[in-house]
Amino acid sequence: MTLLSMSRRLRRTPFSDGVEAAGVKAYTVYNRMLLPTLFESVEADCHHLKTHVQVWDVSCERQVELRGPDAARLMQMLTPRDLRGMLPGQCYYVPIVDETGGMLNDPVAVKLSEDRWWVSIADSDLLLWVKGLANGYRLDVLVDEPDVSPLAVQGPKAEDLMARVFGDRIRDIRFFRFDMFQFEGRDLAVARSGYSKQGGFEIYVEGSEVGMPLWNALFAAGEDLHVRAGCPNLIERIESGLLSYGNDMTDDNTPHECGLGRFCNTHTAIGCVGRDALLRVAKEGPVQQIRPIAIAGDPVPPCDRPWPAYAAGNRVGQVTSSVWSPEFGTNVSIGMLRLSHWDAGTVLEVETPDGMRRAQVQAGFWR
């Protein structure tokens, strides 16, 4: 088995002690931090997530903080989503693009106040891009990475667990909204959001020293709810159509190719650095786009590189994420397909490490 060599360059998190005590079996590297990927098995972890409640160490979702008079202007420069109507207390899913309209990240923007924002990023060096824009345009804004480590509570029993720790007011938070709650005398932002379709919350833990006390409090309060340590689950993610930056999309893809056109208000997002490029894309339409694909046969091996997809012997796209789903009895997959072959029902052949497999484009994701 290949091992991951630890060093100070690969940062631990405020919750790493709890993750290790819970029996983590595997990690990946995400924003130079440890992200757990396995506890019991992918299948068992998925079943538990859909049935009970899990606590996830997602500290790797680092925050890029924008603070100062030009914070809102800089935030709008990053994304083609129109942010003018966004109020403090709201969270927005925002495609982040470069000057060509290519995806640089797909984070959640958290508006703390008119002059203070957090951008909760996926796996890429977005901090450097944001600093470059702020300096190049001489904006009056501080761009930094604060000591904020998200902790996710996900699953159908998440609300009950959170209410036991933070009080029943937690139930009043609406989807993609946040409010401030106290824990051990410290104010923490808690949002109803998360990287699953099972429902839950993300706690923005500001201050590393409060990490393990909060972790322990959640587990002490949730014993009868069958709380476990967990992590973003590959099966549940693909079933739900949740994209992974770096896997399913890169800076070679526009938001429209990634099926994120509904998050682009390109005509009104004045100031977005990729606006002109995306106006052309929106007018002409994408020539390829992400689609759900079912791959027939036995469980496929891990998808650690793109798998070519063919029709009539011609390459028409690629599969970028795939895993066996026990619930749906097929290999659920995400792929990027050409316009000519992305319609539901289209039959493809996918070249997997185990050989060619029959596959079919689906009408929608499984959840």
Short mmCIF file of all heavy atoms in Angstrom, two decimals, residues 12-24 27 57 212 215-216:
data_model
loop_
_atom_site.label_atom_id
_atom_site.label_comp_id
_atom_site.label_asym_id
_atom_site.label_seq_id
_atom_site.Cartn_x
_atom_site.Cartn_y
_atom_site.Cartn_z
N ARG A 12 -1.74 19.74 9.72
CA ARG A 12 -2.79 19.15 10.53
C ARG A 12 -3.88 20.18 10.74
O ARG A 12 -3.74 21.35 10.37
CB ARG A 12 -2.23 18.67 11.88
CG ARG A 12 -1.29 17.48 11.75
CD ARG A 12 -0.61 17.20 13.07
NE ARG A 12 -1.56 16.82 14.11
CZ ARG A 12 -2.05 15.60 14.28
NH1 ARG A 12 -1.70 14.63 13.47
NH2 ARG A 12 -2.89 15.34 15.27
N THR A 13 -4.99 19.76 11.35
CA THR A 13 -6.12 20.66 11.57
C THR A 13 -6.42 20.72 13.06
O THR A 13 -5.91 19.92 13.85
CB THR A 13 -7.36 20.16 10.82
OG1 THR A 13 -8.03 19.16 11.61
CG2 THR A 13 -7.02 19.58 9.46
N PRO A 14 -7.29 21.65 13.48
CA PRO A 14 -7.67 21.70 14.89
C PRO A 14 -8.41 20.45 15.36
O PRO A 14 -8.56 20.25 16.57
CB PRO A 14 -8.60 22.93 14.96
CG PRO A 14 -8.21 23.77 13.80
CD PRO A 14 -7.83 22.80 12.72
N PHE A 15 -8.86 19.61 14.42
CA PHE A 15 -9.64 18.42 14.77
C PHE A 15 -8.89 17.13 14.49
O PHE A 15 -9.47 16.04 14.62
CB PHE A 15 -10.96 18.42 13.98
CG PHE A 15 -11.65 19.75 13.95
CD1 PHE A 15 -11.65 20.52 12.81
CD2 PHE A 15 -12.30 20.24 15.08
CE1 PHE A 15 -12.28 21.77 12.77
CE2 PHE A 15 -12.93 21.47 15.06
CZ PHE A 15 -12.92 22.24 13.91
N SER A 16 -7.63 17.21 14.11
CA SER A 16 -6.89 16.01 13.71
C SER A 16 -6.81 14.98 14.83
O SER A 16 -6.89 13.77 14.58
CB SER A 16 -5.47 16.39 13.25
OG SER A 16 -5.51 17.04 12.00
N ASP A 17 -6.68 15.43 16.08
CA ASP A 17 -6.62 14.47 17.20
C ASP A 17 -7.91 13.66 17.28
O ASP A 17 -7.90 12.44 17.50
CB ASP A 17 -6.38 15.20 18.53
CG ASP A 17 -4.97 15.75 18.64
OD1 ASP A 17 -4.10 15.35 17.84
OD2 ASP A 17 -4.74 16.59 19.53
N GLY A 18 -9.05 14.32 17.09
CA GLY A 18 -10.33 13.62 17.13
C GLY A 18 -10.51 12.69 15.95
O GLY A 18 -11.05 11.58 16.10
N VAL A 19 -10.08 13.10 14.78
CA VAL A 19 -10.17 12.28 13.58
C VAL A 19 -9.35 11.00 13.75
O VAL A 19 -9.80 9.89 13.43
CB VAL A 19 -9.70 13.07 12.34
CG1 VAL A 19 -9.49 12.16 11.15
CG2 VAL A 19 -10.71 14.16 12.00
N GLU A 20 -8.15 11.14 14.29
CA GLU A 20 -7.29 9.97 14.49
C GLU A 20 -7.88 9.03 15.54
O GLU A 20 -7.87 7.80 15.37
CB GLU A 20 -5.90 10.43 14.88
CG GLU A 20 -5.15 11.11 13.74
CD GLU A 20 -3.93 11.87 14.20
OE1 GLU A 20 -3.67 11.91 15.44
OE2 GLU A 20 -3.24 12.44 13.34
N ALA A 21 -8.42 9.59 16.62
CA ALA A 21 -9.03 8.75 17.65
C ALA A 21 -10.25 8.02 17.12
O ALA A 21 -10.59 6.94 17.62
CB ALA A 21 -9.41 9.62 18.86
N ALA A 22 -10.92 8.59 16.11
CA ALA A 22 -12.11 7.97 15.53
C ALA A 22 -11.76 6.86 14.54
O ALA A 22 -12.66 6.20 14.02
CB ALA A 22 -12.97 9.02 14.85
N GLY A 23 -10.48 6.66 14.26
CA GLY A 23 -10.07 5.54 13.42
C GLY A 23 -10.03 5.85 11.93
O GLY A 23 -10.34 4.97 11.12
N VAL A 24 -9.64 7.06 11.56
CA VAL A 24 -9.55 7.38 10.13
C VAL A 24 -8.62 6.39 9.44
O VAL A 24 -7.57 6.02 9.97
CB VAL A 24 -9.05 8.84 9.95
CG1 VAL A 24 -7.65 9.04 10.51
CG2 VAL A 24 -9.13 9.25 8.48
N TYR A 27 -6.53 9.47 4.01
CA TYR A 27 -6.60 10.92 3.80
C TYR A 27 -6.34 11.23 2.33
O TYR A 27 -5.74 10.44 1.60
CB TYR A 27 -5.49 11.64 4.59
CG TYR A 27 -5.63 11.67 6.09
CD1 TYR A 27 -4.80 10.87 6.88
CD2 TYR A 27 -6.51 12.54 6.72
CE1 TYR A 27 -4.88 10.93 8.28
CE2 TYR A 27 -6.59 12.60 8.11
CZ TYR A 27 -5.78 11.79 8.88
OH TYR A 27 -5.85 11.85 10.24
N ASP A 57 -14.38 16.81 9.59
CA ASP A 57 -13.29 17.78 9.63
C ASP A 57 -13.04 18.26 8.20
O ASP A 57 -12.39 17.57 7.40
CB ASP A 57 -12.04 17.13 10.21
CG ASP A 57 -10.83 18.06 10.19
OD1 ASP A 57 -10.99 19.24 9.81
OD2 ASP A 57 -9.73 17.60 10.57
N MET A 212 -11.07 21.16 19.34
CA MET A 212 -11.33 19.89 20.00
C MET A 212 -12.42 19.98 21.07
O MET A 212 -13.22 19.04 21.22
CB MET A 212 -10.05 19.30 20.58
CG MET A 212 -9.17 18.60 19.53
SD MET A 212 -10.05 17.40 18.50
CE MET A 212 -10.61 16.23 19.75
N TRP A 215 -15.53 19.62 19.02
CA TRP A 215 -15.60 18.24 18.52
C TRP A 215 -16.12 17.31 19.62
O TRP A 215 -17.06 16.53 19.43
CB TRP A 215 -14.21 17.81 18.05
CG TRP A 215 -14.07 16.39 17.59
CD1 TRP A 215 -13.92 15.28 18.39
CD2 TRP A 215 -14.06 15.91 16.24
NE1 TRP A 215 -13.80 14.15 17.61
CE2 TRP A 215 -13.88 14.51 16.30
CE3 TRP A 215 -14.15 16.53 15.00
CZ2 TRP A 215 -13.80 13.72 15.14
CZ3 TRP A 215 -14.08 15.74 13.86
CH2 TRP A 215 -13.91 14.36 13.92
N ASN A 216 -15.53 17.41 20.80
CA ASN A 216 -15.92 16.54 21.91
C ASN A 216 -17.35 16.82 22.37
O ASN A 216 -18.09 15.89 22.73
CB ASN A 216 -14.95 16.72 23.08
CG ASN A 216 -13.56 16.19 22.77
OD1 ASN A 216 -13.40 15.25 21.97
ND2 ASN A 216 -12.54 16.77 23.38
#
